[in-house]
Amino acid sequence: MRRDLILIGGSAGGLDALLLTLRDLPPDFRAAILVALHIPADGSENLPKVVQHQCALPVVFASDGDPIVQGQVAIAPPDYHLVVSDGVLRTLRSAREHRHRPAIDPLFRSGAESHGARVIALVLSGAGSDGTAGMVAIRKQGGYLLVQDPEDARFPVMPQSVLDTVAVDAYLPASQIARHLQHLINESVSSPEGTPVPPSNTPERPASFLETSIERTSEGKPSIFSCPDCGAYSGRSVTAG
């Protein structure tokens, strides 16, 4: 089993960090990428196009019922939560979380339940604590936790909230995250003992899948250890109390 689902959350300053992350991923990247950014209900309909300019992978707004496709970036549309359910993407107008819709925690919780240890979760720049509870859920299922280094983030509160709450696997400047992701998706992993392994039903992106669709809308101090392959640092948090 390998890691084939990357979940990314960000808020203030998160778009810039996302662009830095995605720009260095190769066009044959073998994982699906789902993104929840705190954008207003009347947020830009051109967001996928903006991201596409910096990314070799196809970038779309997620639509309800879409498959999870390797080699594609699917972004939560404005005013909808993005979740994974029964092997497909769902866009929901359920209650706001952390005063946001889309919020990060619903995406992370659903990914933990559906894909377990196959998940890589990444929290980028932002204020508040959205994403922290979702990271805890992913940790319990054996997923890999990654945060933007708070010292590199324009708004460090969100990644620091994760570091203060749960032991993460690595923290990095945004400019170094892509290299680390490429290393991670080629590793073999196993689920924690007693945790069922979800089936690998994520389809590969067809070779002809080149065009971008942009109209498909329907809230610890790190300790340092270096990865010998990609130079990443692991972070370990200390929970108060």
Side-chain angles (χ1 to χ4, degrees):
M1 180 179 71
R2 67 178 185 86
R3 302 180 179 102
D4 61 358
L5 181 65
I6 298 173
L7 309 178
I8 302 177
S11 187
L15 177 58
D16 290 341
L18 178 68
L19 295 178
L20 283 173
T21 297
L22 296 180
R23 72 179 185 183
D24 293 328
L25 295 179
D28 59 350
F29 189 71
R30 296 191 310 131
I33 301 175
L34 308 181
V35 180
L37 291 176
H38 291 169
I39 53 179
D42 58 351
S44 172
E45 293 184 356
N46 292 321
L47 179 58
K49 184 181 292 186
V50 170
V51 177
Q52 185 72 81
H53 283 311
Q54 301 292 323
C55 182
L57 305 175
V59 182
V60 302
F61 270 139
S63 290
D64 196 61
D66 278 353
I68 303 168
V69 181
Q70 289 189 19
Q72 176 182 276
V73 179
I75 302 174
D79 208 28
Y80 286 83
H81 294 307
L82 173 61
V83 301
V84 181
S85 178
D86 295 326
V88 300
L89 304 181
R90 302 298 309 275
T91 54
L92 307 175
R93 291 289 302 277
S94 51
R96 296 175 184 271
E97 296 194 27
H98 302 274
R99 298 181 296 178
H100 291 283
R101 189 174 59 224
I104 302 165
D105 277 336
L107 175 61
F108 283 12
R109 289 194 306 264
S110 67
E113 181 176 352
S114 66
H115 284 66
R118 292 161 52 199
V119 169
I120 301 168
L122 168 62
V123 170
L124 300 172
S125 172
S129 62
D130 191 14
T132 297
M135 292 287 256
V136 172
I138 291 168
R139 166 58 72 216
K140 290 179 179 178
Q141 296 300 320
Y144 191 97
L145 305 187
L146 176 62
V147 297
Q148 183 181 4
D149 187 340
E151 293 187 3
D152 178 67
R154 287 177 56 196
F155 294 84
V157 175
M158 185 175 290
Q160 188 63 55
S161 173
V162 177
L163 288 171
D164 288 343
T165 305
V166 62
V168 306
D169 294 289
Y171 65 98
L172 286 169
S175 61
Q176 297 179 27
I177 291 173
R179 182 184 176 196
H180 191 53
L181 291 177
Q182 293 180 68
H183 167 72
L184 292 174
I185 65 170
N186 291 315
E187 287 185 335
S188 294
V189 296
S190 58
S191 293
E193 186 175 352
T195 302
V197 178
S200 181
N201 56 3
T202 305
E204 295 283 351
R205 172 168 54 92
S208 61
F209 188 58
L210 300 176
E211 297 186 0
T212 301
S213 170
I214 63 172
E215 298 177 355
R216 306 178 68 196
T217 61
S218 146
E219 176 162 68
K221 298 286 185 181
S223 60
I224 299 174
F225 301 92
S226 178
C227 168
D229 293 308
C230 61
Y233 297 106
S234 68
R236 182 168 57 86
S237 66
V238 178
T239 304

